[in-house]
Amino acid sequence: MTKPDLETFSDRVYYIVSQVPFGHVVTYGQVAVMAGHAGAARAVGNLMKNSISAGLEIPWQRVINAQARISFRGDMHRADAQLALLRQEGVEFNQALKIDMDTFQWLPDDVFWEADDHS
DNA sequence: TTAGTGACTGCAT
DNA sequence: CATGCAGCCACTA
């Protein structure tokens, strides 16, 4: 896979999320690591939120939290939409609204970006 | 340049 | 299993 020469954290995040396969999910923390900024999970969440107002067309619904659940810390309206979208993709939720990560989590073989020591 | 913010996390209660 | 809380971090005003 040839990855674009993206410099900024946000551009990398948007690129990574755009690569998540239909019917699969990734966690905020996972995306942060893949973008070379482990620990920036919270920032990833902010970017997903911004992506909407920015009008970016990315599969933001495929990004969930480390508990394998949709984050309801944002507005419920968005959470409901996310749940519906994922179900449409075939992603299944158990009674506790949790996703079976062994089945649906996207674990790419390729390394996107190595960890950034500074920046 | 600085302070505030939040779609996060892991650990402790 | 459910809360609470203190780090963490890029983005914005």
Side-chain angles (χ1 to χ4, degrees):
Chain A
M1 162 190 281
T2 304
K3 48 184 178 299
D5 180 31
L6 302 176
E7 296 303 325
T8 69
F9 176 68
S10 57
D11 284 342
R12 289 181 174 185
V13 169
Y14 290 141
Y15 173 70
I16 291 170
V17 175
S18 73
Q19 297 302 108
V20 181
F22 181 95
H24 289 265
V25 298
V26 290
T27 69
Y28 297 100
Q30 185 190 339
V31 173
V33 171
M34 291 171 69
H37 289 233
R42 206 165 186 176
V44 172
N46 288 331
L47 290 174
M48 290 302 95
K49 182 178 184 179
N50 296 338
S51 72
I52 297 179
S53 58
L56 298 179
E57 294 179 26
I58 60 176
W60 53 269
Q61 71 275 23
R62 297 174 192 154
V63 185
I64 63 178
N65 63 34
Q67 318 314 310
R69 296 168 31 72
I70 287 174
S71 180
F72 281 80
R73 295 193 182 187
D75 66 289
M76 301 300 273
H77 184 289
R78 188 210 93 259
D80 289 334
Q82 184 167 10
L83 178 63
L85 284 170
L86 288 177
R87 279 178 166 159
Q88 286 176 45
E89 298 190 6
V91 176
E92 297 165 29
F93 294 80
N94 66 18
Q95 193 165 13
L97 289 183
K98 280 191 184 177
I99 295 172
D100 178 0
M101 298 305 266
D102 291 328
T103 301
F104 301 104
Q105 180 174 34
W106 179 47
L107 296 174
D109 298 318
D110 318 305
V111 172
F112 280 55
W113 285 281
E114 300 296 342
D116 282 354
D117 295 315
H118 53 290
S119 175

